Amino acid sequence: PPSAGLPAAAPGSDPLLRVLTPPAVGAEPAPQPSYEGKGVAARVDAALRREHPQLASQLDALCTALETSLLPTVAERLLAAVHEVVLLGLSVTPSPPDAPPAAVTDALNKIGTAFGLSSGKLARADNPETRALAVGWGAALLRECIASPPPTLSELLARLEAVRAGLATELAAAPRVARVDGGAWRMLLSQQPLVEVPGQYEAGLEPAMEQLAVIDRIAPGVTVVRDAASGATQRRFVLLSDSLTRHTFYLNGPSLLRPHASLSVERLSQLLRLLTRRLLRYRETR
């Protein structure tokens, strides 16, 4: 609606309206409006910043704090990437002369570029733990698996497994319950109740305004959960609403070699919730 601050669009000019409103026979095509960004999301974002700047600023601050404080560390992301390469190598059927396949070497080169191992960027990081990783297991991975890989896949997998086991051992010694660091101290303070707690629209119906839970602050304790099967690490944190209700969420990091893995997990979670609601609707399924 015009009250939302969105620019009016003629039928056929907006991508969504083109689908819902077929053009009239013999009608001239409507001129395409020029929006900054891409599609409807950019329009909604611009309207939000124009009509509700305080809410937009709070959303930006919350998103930045979550990304800088709760995303997996460099060592945790490197462990997950090495684990994926090991699984990729184990999926290859061994056959003489047992040369490393192109998929494995390409994945290793991608890891070296993305983590700054090949360029030395990781060793110049500001974080001392990241620099220690660069001269430790990062240097071993670069030297033995990326820069000078062995001629056989079995030997390459043995070296990768040594790096993976070393990283896993070091990370296992770290505390499993972390604290929100000092750089994100605003997350721990009580905020003006503007941002809604996610996940309140799962039933397909919008709750009443007086029943909406909004974020008051984030609990200081953060649980580190590591999957031994995939090597991935996620953070479990709690959002405290204005009604003092606790809402638990998991924050996953993106996969370097499988960029659509997070989307697949999200789709499986949506499918599980859908099946649960459908089954609970019938008494004979209980």
Side-chain angles (χ1 to χ4, degrees):
S3 60
L6 297 177
S13 61
D14 188 87
L16 291 180
L17 294 178
R18 280 203 302 270
V19 176
L20 301 177
T21 308
V25 178
E28 292 289 335
Q32 297 293 330
S34 59
Y35 299 128
E36 295 183 1
K38 296 182 179 180
V40 180
R43 297 171 55 198
V44 174
D45 181 71
L48 177 64
R49 297 182 183 279
R50 181 173 59 253
E51 301 293 336
H52 306 282
Q54 189 175 3
L55 174 59
S57 176
Q58 190 167 331
L59 281 171
D60 282 340
L62 180 62
C63 182
T64 303
L66 290 175
E67 289 180 349
T68 55
S69 301
L70 300 184
L71 279 180
T73 62
V74 178
E76 292 169 347
R77 291 189 289 113
L78 183 60
L79 171 62
V82 172
H83 201 114
E84 290 182 4
V85 178
V86 171
L87 294 180
L88 179 62
L90 292 176
S91 65
V92 177
T93 303
S95 60
D98 195 24
V104 175
T105 55
D106 291 344
L108 287 173
N109 292 329
K110 185 180 295 185
I111 290 175
T113 303
F115 284 91
L117 297 174
S118 304
S119 61
K121 182 179 178 181
L122 192 67
R124 299 189 299 269
D126 297 333
N127 191 344
E129 296 181 358
T130 304
R131 292 197 301 269
L133 174 67
V135 299
W137 293 112
L141 178 64
L142 176 64
R143 180 179 62 254
E144 300 181 6
C145 303
I146 300 177
S148 301
T152 61
L153 177 61
S154 57
E155 187 178 355
L156 177 61
L157 289 178
R159 296 183 182 182
L160 286 172
E161 178 60 25
V163 174
R164 187 207 65 80
L167 283 171
T169 302
E170 287 188 0
L171 292 176
R176 290 303 180 97
V177 179
R179 309 288 294 182
V180 177
D181 60 9
W185 56 269
R186 290 184 179 87
M187 298 170 59
L188 307 179
L189 299 180
S190 180
Q191 306 177 27
Q192 184 177 355
L194 293 176
V195 182
E196 297 178 7
V197 175
Q200 301 184 66
Y201 300 87
E202 295 180 358
L205 300 176
E206 183 177 356
M209 290 297 298
E210 60 272 9
Q211 296 177 348
L212 280 174
V214 293
I215 300 176
D216 181 69
R217 63 184 182 276
I218 297 179
V222 179
T223 304
V224 180
V225 181
R226 185 168 298 108
D227 185 11
S230 63
T233 303
Q234 58 183 196
R235 297 291 193 276
R236 183 176 63 196
F237 63 100
V238 176
L239 292 178
L240 301 177
S241 67
D242 56 343
S243 60
L244 301 182
T245 307
R246 300 170 64 89
H247 303 267
T248 303
F249 292 89
Y250 288 85
L251 187 62
N252 298 318
S255 173
L256 175 63
L257 305 181
R258 296 181 297 122
H260 301 292
S262 299
L263 183 60
S264 301
V265 173
E266 180 182 351
R267 292 293 181 264
L268 288 174
S269 178
Q270 293 174 354
L271 178 62
L272 178 60
R273 292 196 299 267
L274 176 62
L275 291 176
T276 301
R277 288 200 302 267
R278 298 279 293 184
L279 292 175
L280 292 179
R281 189 174 300 177
Y282 302 98
R283 180 176 300 177
E284 58 270 16
T285 63
R286 299 177 184 175

